[in-house]
Amino acid sequence: MALVVCKFGGTSVATPKRIINVAKRLVAKHEAGDQLVVVVSAMGKTTDDLMKLALAVNDSPPPREIDMLLSTGEQVSMSILAMAIDALGHQSVSLTGGQVGIVTDSLHRKAKIREIKPARIRKELDEGKIVIVAGFQGITRAGDITTLGRGGSDTTAVAIAAGIKADKCEIYSDVDGVYTTDPRVVPCAKKLAVISYDEMLELAASGAGVLQMRAVEFARHFGVVIECRSAFTDEPGTIIKEVTDPMESAVISGIAFDKSEAKITIRDVPDRVGVAAQVFGTIAEVASNVDMIVQNISEDHYTDLTFTTPMQDLPRLKPVLEQLIHELGAREYLIDDSVVKISLIGAGMKTNPGIAAKMFQVLAEHDVNISLITTSSIRISVVIEGEDIQRVVKCLHTAFGLDSDKVFEETQLSAEEMKAKMEKGR
Ligand code: ASP
Ligand code: MG
């Protein structure tokens, strides 16, 4: 008998029929003897729709109220799933984040989990029930509802798996695993059987939207083994775990790309002690995550400071930049929102020299101009401007030997067919 946490994403619970299929799948697992805690996302695009609703009445709604609103999405899917399981003659109970003791800090919309009190989940499991938990939400010590950031149900699932010491955390969605790159962009992308936490973190940080980053951090910290798999087929997915055997790790395991960041340059910043601390300290105060930072050579004691930041933070950031320009006596700031960050990720970089050189060589051969570069021990990222992403990712994918001989469209088609079949009900 295994104790398993299963998480179903928004697409997997988008319609009543899909919810019924999830219920059937869970009941079959339960009958086979597993104890199940199920974490659900909101149905389909509910979270986006709720956000639109909020913005229809207020351009910048109070974060507390946004959380109050968005958290209702998951409460719909959890109770509907519990009803579907009941209709199949099995016992289940749906519970909010607060009810299962997911205690968070009070940073609304991006709250961090501080503690999980697993007593309620244990009690319900002991009574033989399938326990369904609303993803993406928690509660502050003061009793206010919080949300964990977009995609936060992954984090709920992993945190619960850690809290109840589950044997495994299965993340079900419309993607059937972790690929060497986005198969919708490069159809010959390969599905990975295994990937390490570190590589997965770099992939997530670099724009691969398979799992929320916090979820992977949590999993690494608590040693939770994750499997990402399809909600529509029985194919094995990708296992994310600690990989220590070098035989198990590829030199390059993936290429991620990210269009969601903007490049900001502050021009003619006086080059003196403490300026970087002041700039990035002020930005951190509005909780914007700065990613790549480059300071150019200074000329006449003035320098340009360039960095990237999520596009969605720009409204919050602009007044801060205005204020900084003024305080620093800098010339101006420029925002470029047409940039793409492309990252090459692989644990094997630590032991194989020359990967960066090869990447730059490939880009040069394909006439791609690089505007920023950063690296970590297992990642090389470049920012490029106004390029055809598909062309650039494809040429790197091929150059690093990642192309699969199986073209994704075929698998994609069969997954679509599967979905259609399931929609009709089996
Ligand atoms: N429903 C939330 C979102 O769309 C949380 C999640 O799906 O994980 O971001
Ligand atoms: Mg989602």
Side-chain angles (χ1 to χ4, degrees):
M1 186 179 73
L3 174 54
V4 186
V5 174
C6 305
K7 180 251 166 176
F8 287 87
T11 320
S12 328
V13 294
T15 62
K17 278 196 180 121
R18 288 191 191 169
I19 292 186
I20 291 171
N21 282 315
V22 169
K24 285 182 186 161
R25 194 167 186 150
L26 292 168
V27 162
K29 254 172 122 58
H30 197 234
E31 277 174 347
D34 286 341
Q35 282 191 306
L36 301 176
V37 179
V38 187
V39 174
V40 283
S41 290
M43 292 171 70
K45 301 252 170 285
T46 302
T47 310
D48 292 330
D49 294 342
L50 290 171
M51 202 57 222
K52 276 184 212 140
L53 182 60
L55 293 172
V57 298
N58 187 333
D59 291 339
S60 61
R64 181 193 179 277
E65 301 310 326
I66 295 183
D67 281 355
M68 207 61 167
L69 177 70
L70 297 190
S71 62
T72 62
E74 272 70 15
Q75 293 186 42
V76 171
S77 44
M78 71 171 187
S79 49
I80 299 293
L81 179 59
M83 292 174 201
I85 292 174
D86 177 79
L88 297 172
H90 275 245
Q91 276 204 309
S92 77
V93 59
S94 69
L95 299 164
T96 63
Q99 284 175 309
V100 296
I102 299 178
V103 181
T104 71
D105 62 19
S106 54
L107 187 63
H108 284 285
R109 304 195 62 189
K110 274 191 188 174
K112 292 214 167 87
I113 298 177
R114 290 279 169 252
E115 188 191 354
I116 291 197
K117 301 172 185 155
R120 178 75 190 266
I121 295 182
R122 290 237 171 78
K123 174 179 160 283
E124 303 289 355
L125 285 173
D126 288 346
E127 289 174 13
K129 290 179 201 159
I130 298 176
V131 181
I132 305 167
V133 179
F136 175 57
Q137 57 177 261
I139 197 160
T140 65
R141 293 225 155 80
D144 284 316
I145 294 176
T146 51
T147 63
L148 309 178
R150 295 307 303 267
S153 302
D154 293 339
T155 302
T156 307
V158 173
I160 288 178
I164 62 171
K165 301 195 171 51
D167 298 301
K168 202 169 154 199
C169 180
E170 300 176 339
I171 310 267
Y172 292 85
S173 71
D174 53 346
V175 286
D176 61 352
V178 180
Y179 279 77
T180 47
T181 193
D182 189 337
R184 288 164 302 186
V185 173
V186 178
C188 56
K190 240 188 307 204
K191 185 159 84 179
L192 300 163
V194 176
I195 186 167
S196 68
Y197 294 124
D198 288 339
E199 289 169 306
M200 195 62 217
L201 274 174
E202 291 284 11
L203 272 178
S206 310
V210 186
L211 277 180
Q212 202 203 29
M213 217 171 122
R214 290 275 313 147
V216 187
E217 282 170 355
F218 232 101
R220 177 174 64 175
H221 190 79
F222 293 99
V224 175
V225 176
I226 302 179
E227 180 176 1
C228 284
R229 51 185 302 173
S230 166
F232 305 108
T233 74
D234 290 324
E235 295 271 308
T238 301
I239 305 274
I240 303 157
K241 61 173 192 177
E242 186 74 61
V243 178
T244 42
D245 179 0
M247 292 297 285
E248 245 188 307
S249 54
V251 177
I252 300 299
S253 49
I255 302 173
F257 49 90
D258 190 357
K259 277 197 290 190
S260 71
E261 298 206 338
K263 185 177 88 173
I264 296 173
T265 303
I266 307 183
R267 300 283 313 278
D268 290 351
V269 180
D271 189 7
R272 56 166 193 261
V273 172
V275 165
Q278 185 179 350
V279 170
F280 296 106
T282 315
I283 291 173
E285 275 167 28
V286 287
S288 179
N289 278 326
V290 170
D291 180 27
M292 302 168 103
I293 302 176
V294 175
Q295 182 179 324
N296 300 333
I297 311 173
S298 79
E299 246 175 74
D300 304 327
H301 305 289
Y302 284 92
T303 181
D304 289 349
L305 204 54
T306 302
F307 56 93
T308 61
T309 183
M311 215 100 78
Q312 63 175 32
D313 290 353
L314 288 178
R316 280 212 310 271
L317 221 48
K318 280 182 188 162
V320 173
L321 290 168
E322 290 292 349
Q323 180 201 333
L324 275 169
I325 300 288
H326 184 73
E327 283 172 14
L328 295 168
R331 179 142 63 105
E332 58 181 346
Y333 70 87
L334 307 170
I335 296 180
D336 183 347
D337 55 13
S338 69
V339 297
V340 188
K341 181 176 72 176
I342 297 188
S343 308
L344 203 62
I345 289 133
M349 276 182 207
K350 284 186 205 159
T351 44
N352 290 273
I355 304 283
K358 179 170 171 184
M359 181 183 192
F360 304 150
Q361 182 67 40
V362 173
L363 293 173
E365 278 162 13
H366 289 81
D367 226 16
V368 179
N369 191 36
I370 303 171
S371 67
L372 297 175
I373 302 171
T374 59
T375 61
S376 80
S377 64
I378 62 165
R379 173 184 52 79
I380 307 160
S381 299
V382 297
V383 163
I384 58 177
E385 269 163 84
E387 279 287 346
D388 173 357
I389 311 176
Q390 185 163 18
R391 181 181 81 93
V392 179
V393 176
K394 175 74 180 81
C395 73
L396 288 168
H397 200 265
T398 306
F400 282 93
L402 298 175
D403 290 358
S404 153
D405 34 5
K406 212 170 81 202
V407 173
F408 182 74
E409 264 125 16
E410 295 166 21
T411 41
Q412 174 74 331
L413 240 187
S414 63
E416 281 300 324
E417 281 165 3
M418 274 313 274
K419 258 190 236 177
K421 247 193 241 163
M422 299 189 70
E423 290 289 354
K424 278 194 216 123
R426 279 183 278 197

mmCIF file with all atom_site columns, all heavy atoms in Angstrom, residues 392-405:
data_model
loop_
_atom_site.group_PDB
_atom_site.id
_atom_site.type_symbol
_atom_site.label_atom_id
_atom_site.label_alt_id
_atom_site.label_comp_id
_atom_site.label_asym_id
_atom_site.label_entity_id
_atom_site.label_seq_id
_atom_site.pdbx_PDB_ins_code
_atom_site.Cartn_x
_atom_site.Cartn_y
_atom_site.Cartn_z
_atom_site.occupancy
_atom_site.B_iso_or_equiv
_atom_site.pdbx_formal_charge
_atom_site.auth_seq_id
_atom_site.auth_comp_id
_atom_site.auth_asym_id
_atom_site.auth_atom_id
_atom_site.pdbx_PDB_model_num
ATOM 1   N N   . VAL A 1 392 ? 16.079 29.526 -33.476 1.00 0.00 ? 392 VAL A N   1
ATOM 2   C CA  . VAL A 1 392 ? 17.257 29.529 -32.612 1.00 0.00 ? 392 VAL A CA  1
ATOM 3   C C   . VAL A 1 392 ? 17.278 28.283 -31.717 1.00 0.00 ? 392 VAL A C   1
ATOM 4   O O   . VAL A 1 392 ? 18.292 27.602 -31.588 1.00 0.00 ? 392 VAL A O   1
ATOM 5   C CB  . VAL A 1 392 ? 17.307 30.821 -31.763 1.00 0.00 ? 392 VAL A CB  1
ATOM 6   C CG1 . VAL A 1 392 ? 18.511 30.810 -30.851 1.00 0.00 ? 392 VAL A CG1 1
ATOM 7   C CG2 . VAL A 1 392 ? 17.329 32.052 -32.661 1.00 0.00 ? 392 VAL A CG2 1
ATOM 8   N N   . VAL A 1 393 ? 16.120 27.979 -31.113 1.00 0.00 ? 393 VAL A N   1
ATOM 9   C CA  . VAL A 1 393 ? 16.070 26.812 -30.221 1.00 0.00 ? 393 VAL A CA  1
ATOM 10  C C   . VAL A 1 393 ? 16.344 25.540 -31.020 1.00 0.00 ? 393 VAL A C   1
ATOM 11  O O   . VAL A 1 393 ? 17.086 24.671 -30.591 1.00 0.00 ? 393 VAL A O   1
ATOM 12  C CB  . VAL A 1 393 ? 14.715 26.726 -29.490 1.00 0.00 ? 393 VAL A CB  1
ATOM 13  C CG1 . VAL A 1 393 ? 14.635 25.465 -28.652 1.00 0.00 ? 393 VAL A CG1 1
ATOM 14  C CG2 . VAL A 1 393 ? 14.502 27.946 -28.611 1.00 0.00 ? 393 VAL A CG2 1
ATOM 15  N N   . LYS A 1 394 ? 15.755 25.471 -32.208 1.00 0.00 ? 394 LYS A N   1
ATOM 16  C CA  . LYS A 1 394 ? 15.925 24.276 -33.044 1.00 0.00 ? 394 LYS A CA  1
ATOM 17  C C   . LYS A 1 394 ? 17.404 24.054 -33.374 1.00 0.00 ? 394 LYS A C   1
ATOM 18  O O   . LYS A 1 394 ? 17.898 22.935 -33.315 1.00 0.00 ? 394 LYS A O   1
ATOM 19  C CB  . LYS A 1 394 ? 15.087 24.436 -34.323 1.00 0.00 ? 394 LYS A CB  1
ATOM 20  C CG  . LYS A 1 394 ? 15.248 23.323 -35.342 1.00 0.00 ? 394 LYS A CG  1
ATOM 21  C CD  . LYS A 1 394 ? 14.531 22.045 -34.907 1.00 0.00 ? 394 LYS A CD  1
ATOM 22  C CE  . LYS A 1 394 ? 14.679 20.912 -35.901 1.00 0.00 ? 394 LYS A CE  1
ATOM 23  N NZ  . LYS A 1 394 ? 15.925 20.184 -35.800 1.00 0.00 ? 394 LYS A NZ  1
ATOM 24  N N   . CYS A 1 395 ? 18.114 25.124 -33.725 1.00 0.00 ? 395 CYS A N   1
ATOM 25  C CA  . CYS A 1 395 ? 19.504 24.914 -34.124 1.00 0.00 ? 395 CYS A CA  1
ATOM 26  C C   . CYS A 1 395 ? 20.358 24.478 -32.934 1.00 0.00 ? 395 CYS A C   1
ATOM 27  O O   . CYS A 1 395 ? 21.230 23.629 -33.066 1.00 0.00 ? 395 CYS A O   1
ATOM 28  C CB  . CYS A 1 395 ? 20.072 26.111 -34.897 1.00 0.00 ? 395 CYS A CB  1
ATOM 29  S SG  . CYS A 1 395 ? 20.427 27.551 -33.911 1.00 0.00 ? 395 CYS A SG  1
ATOM 30  N N   . LEU A 1 396 ? 20.058 24.982 -31.750 1.00 0.00 ? 396 LEU A N   1
ATOM 31  C CA  . LEU A 1 396 ? 20.805 24.534 -30.564 1.00 0.00 ? 396 LEU A CA  1
ATOM 32  C C   . LEU A 1 396 ? 20.447 23.089 -30.221 1.00 0.00 ? 396 LEU A C   1
ATOM 33  O O   . LEU A 1 396 ? 21.306 22.280 -29.879 1.00 0.00 ? 396 LEU A O   1
ATOM 34  C CB  . LEU A 1 396 ? 20.483 25.441 -29.368 1.00 0.00 ? 396 LEU A CB  1
ATOM 35  C CG  . LEU A 1 396 ? 21.077 26.851 -29.419 1.00 0.00 ? 396 LEU A CG  1
ATOM 36  C CD1 . LEU A 1 396 ? 20.461 27.729 -28.340 1.00 0.00 ? 396 LEU A CD1 1
ATOM 37  C CD2 . LEU A 1 396 ? 22.597 26.819 -29.270 1.00 0.00 ? 396 LEU A CD2 1
ATOM 38  N N   . HIS A 1 397 ? 19.166 22.782 -30.313 1.00 0.00 ? 397 HIS A N   1
ATOM 39  C CA  . HIS A 1 397 ? 18.672 21.431 -29.997 1.00 0.00 ? 397 HIS A CA  1
ATOM 40  C C   . HIS A 1 397 ? 19.379 20.395 -30.864 1.00 0.00 ? 397 HIS A C   1
ATOM 41  O O   . HIS A 1 397 ? 19.840 19.352 -30.386 1.00 0.00 ? 397 HIS A O   1
ATOM 42  C CB  . HIS A 1 397 ? 17.153 21.401 -30.236 1.00 0.00 ? 397 HIS A CB  1
ATOM 43  C CG  . HIS A 1 397 ? 16.430 20.292 -29.537 1.00 0.00 ? 397 HIS A CG  1
ATOM 44  N ND1 . HIS A 1 397 ? 16.140 19.094 -30.154 1.00 0.00 ? 397 HIS A ND1 1
ATOM 45  C CD2 . HIS A 1 397 ? 15.934 20.180 -28.269 1.00 0.00 ? 397 HIS A CD2 1
ATOM 46  C CE1 . HIS A 1 397 ? 15.494 18.315 -29.300 1.00 0.00 ? 397 HIS A CE1 1
ATOM 47  N NE2 . HIS A 1 397 ? 15.353 18.948 -28.152 1.00 0.00 ? 397 HIS A NE2 1
ATOM 48  N N   . THR A 1 398 ? 19.517 20.712 -32.138 1.00 0.00 ? 398 THR A N   1
ATOM 49  C CA  . THR A 1 398 ? 20.183 19.791 -33.067 1.00 0.00 ? 398 THR A CA  1
ATOM 50  C C   . THR A 1 398 ? 21.681 19.731 -32.761 1.00 0.00 ? 398 THR A C   1
ATOM 51  O O   . THR A 1 398 ? 22.258 18.644 -32.660 1.00 0.00 ? 398 THR A O   1
ATOM 52  C CB  . THR A 1 398 ? 19.963 20.250 -34.528 1.00 0.00 ? 398 THR A CB  1
ATOM 53  O OG1 . THR A 1 398 ? 18.559 20.381 -34.731 1.00 0.00 ? 398 THR A OG1 1
ATOM 54  C CG2 . THR A 1 398 ? 20.537 19.254 -35.521 1.00 0.00 ? 398 THR A CG2 1
ATOM 55  N N   . ALA A 1 399 ? 22.288 20.909 -32.569 1.00 0.00 ? 399 ALA A N   1
ATOM 56  C CA  . ALA A 1 399 ? 23.742 20.946 -32.365 1.00 0.00 ? 399 ALA A CA  1
ATOM 57  C C   . ALA A 1 399 ? 24.159 20.172 -31.118 1.00 0.00 ? 399 ALA A C   1
ATOM 58  O O   . ALA A 1 399 ? 25.235 19.587 -31.076 1.00 0.00 ? 399 ALA A O   1
ATOM 59  C CB  . ALA A 1 399 ? 24.209 22.393 -32.262 1.00 0.00 ? 399 ALA A CB  1
ATOM 60  N N   . PHE A 1 400 ? 23.308 20.164 -30.102 1.00 0.00 ? 400 PHE A N   1
ATOM 61  C CA  . PHE A 1 400 ? 23.672 19.452 -28.885 1.00 0.00 ? 400 PHE A CA  1
ATOM 62  C C   . PHE A 1 400 ? 23.131 18.016 -28.857 1.00 0.00 ? 400 PHE A C   1
ATOM 63  O O   . PHE A 1 400 ? 23.083 17.375 -27.802 1.00 0.00 ? 400 PHE A O   1
ATOM 64  C CB  . PHE A 1 400 ? 23.258 20.251 -27.649 1.00 0.00 ? 400 PHE A CB  1
ATOM 65  C CG  . PHE A 1 400 ? 24.209 21.378 -27.366 1.00 0.00 ? 400 PHE A CG  1
ATOM 66  C CD1 . PHE A 1 400 ? 23.967 22.649 -27.863 1.00 0.00 ? 400 PHE A CD1 1
ATOM 67  C CD2 . PHE A 1 400 ? 25.381 21.155 -26.657 1.00 0.00 ? 400 PHE A CD2 1
ATOM 68  C CE1 . PHE A 1 400 ? 24.865 23.681 -27.635 1.00 0.00 ? 400 PHE A CE1 1
ATOM 69  C CE2 . PHE A 1 400 ? 26.287 22.182 -26.423 1.00 0.00 ? 400 PHE A CE2 1
ATOM 70  C CZ  . PHE A 1 400 ? 26.031 23.455 -26.915 1.00 0.00 ? 400 PHE A CZ  1
ATOM 71  N N   . GLY A 1 401 ? 22.716 17.529 -30.007 1.00 0.00 ? 401 GLY A N   1
ATOM 72  C CA  . GLY A 1 401 ? 22.351 16.118 -30.124 1.00 0.00 ? 401 GLY A CA  1
ATOM 73  C C   . GLY A 1 401 ? 21.100 15.731 -29.354 1.00 0.00 ? 401 GLY A C   1
ATOM 74  O O   . GLY A 1 401 ? 20.980 14.602 -28.884 1.00 0.00 ? 401 GLY A O   1
ATOM 75  N N   . LEU A 1 402 ? 20.167 16.665 -29.212 1.00 0.00 ? 402 LEU A N   1
ATOM 76  C CA  . LEU A 1 402 ? 18.978 16.359 -28.415 1.00 0.00 ? 402 LEU A CA  1
ATOM 77  C C   . LEU A 1 402 ? 17.793 15.876 -29.243 1.00 0.00 ? 402 LEU A C   1
ATOM 78  O O   . LEU A 1 402 ? 16.801 15.388 -28.698 1.00 0.00 ? 402 LEU A O   1
ATOM 79  C CB  . LEU A 1 402 ? 18.551 17.613 -27.620 1.00 0.00 ? 402 LEU A CB  1
ATOM 80  C CG  . LEU A 1 402 ? 19.572 18.144 -26.609 1.00 0.00 ? 402 LEU A CG  1
ATOM 81  C CD1 . LEU A 1 402 ? 19.081 19.438 -25.983 1.00 0.00 ? 402 LEU A CD1 1
ATOM 82  C CD2 . LEU A 1 402 ? 19.839 17.110 -25.524 1.00 0.00 ? 402 LEU A CD2 1
ATOM 83  N N   . ASP A 1 403 ? 17.886 16.015 -30.571 1.00 0.00 ? 403 ASP A N   1
ATOM 84  C CA  . ASP A 1 403 ? 16.736 15.660 -31.423 1.00 0.00 ? 403 ASP A CA  1
ATOM 85  C C   . ASP A 1 403 ? 16.337 14.196 -31.250 1.00 0.00 ? 403 ASP A C   1
ATOM 86  O O   . ASP A 1 403 ? 17.177 13.312 -31.207 1.00 0.00 ? 403 ASP A O   1
ATOM 87  C CB  . ASP A 1 403 ? 17.073 15.898 -32.901 1.00 0.00 ? 403 ASP A CB  1
ATOM 88  C CG  . ASP A 1 403 ? 17.184 17.384 -33.227 1.00 0.00 ? 403 ASP A CG  1
ATOM 89  O OD1 . ASP A 1 403 ? 16.959 18.196 -32.309 1.00 0.00 ? 403 ASP A OD1 1
ATOM 90  O OD2 . ASP A 1 403 ? 17.501 17.707 -34.385 1.00 0.00 ? 403 ASP A OD2 1
ATOM 91  N N   . SER A 1 404 ? 15.045 13.986 -31.152 1.00 0.00 ? 404 SER A N   1
ATOM 92  C CA  . SER A 1 404 ? 14.541 12.619 -31.080 1.00 0.00 ? 404 SER A CA  1
ATOM 93  C C   . SER A 1 404 ? 14.202 12.178 -32.500 1.00 0.00 ? 404 SER A C   1
ATOM 94  O O   . SER A 1 404 ? 13.899 13.013 -33.355 1.00 0.00 ? 404 SER A O   1
ATOM 95  C CB  . SER A 1 404 ? 13.279 12.616 -30.216 1.00 0.00 ? 404 SER A CB  1
ATOM 96  O OG  . SER A 1 404 ? 12.441 11.562 -30.574 1.00 0.00 ? 404 SER A OG  1
ATOM 97  N N   . ASP A 1 405 ? 14.267 10.865 -32.751 1.00 0.00 ? 405 ASP A N   1
ATOM 98  C CA  . ASP A 1 405 ? 13.880 10.438 -34.097 1.00 0.00 ? 405 ASP A CA  1
ATOM 99  C C   . ASP A 1 405 ? 12.367 10.338 -34.223 1.00 0.00 ? 405 ASP A C   1
ATOM 100 O O   . ASP A 1 405 ? 11.809 10.256 -35.300 1.00 0.00 ? 405 ASP A O   1
ATOM 101 C CB  . ASP A 1 405 ? 14.577 9.125  -34.512 1.00 0.00 ? 405 ASP A CB  1
ATOM 102 C CG  . ASP A 1 405 ? 14.777 8.206  -33.325 1.00 0.00 ? 405 ASP A CG  1
ATOM 103 O OD1 . ASP A 1 405 ? 14.287 8.555  -32.229 1.00 0.00 ? 405 ASP A OD1 1
ATOM 104 O OD2 . ASP A 1 405 ? 15.396 7.143  -33.495 1.00 0.00 ? 405 ASP A OD2 1
#
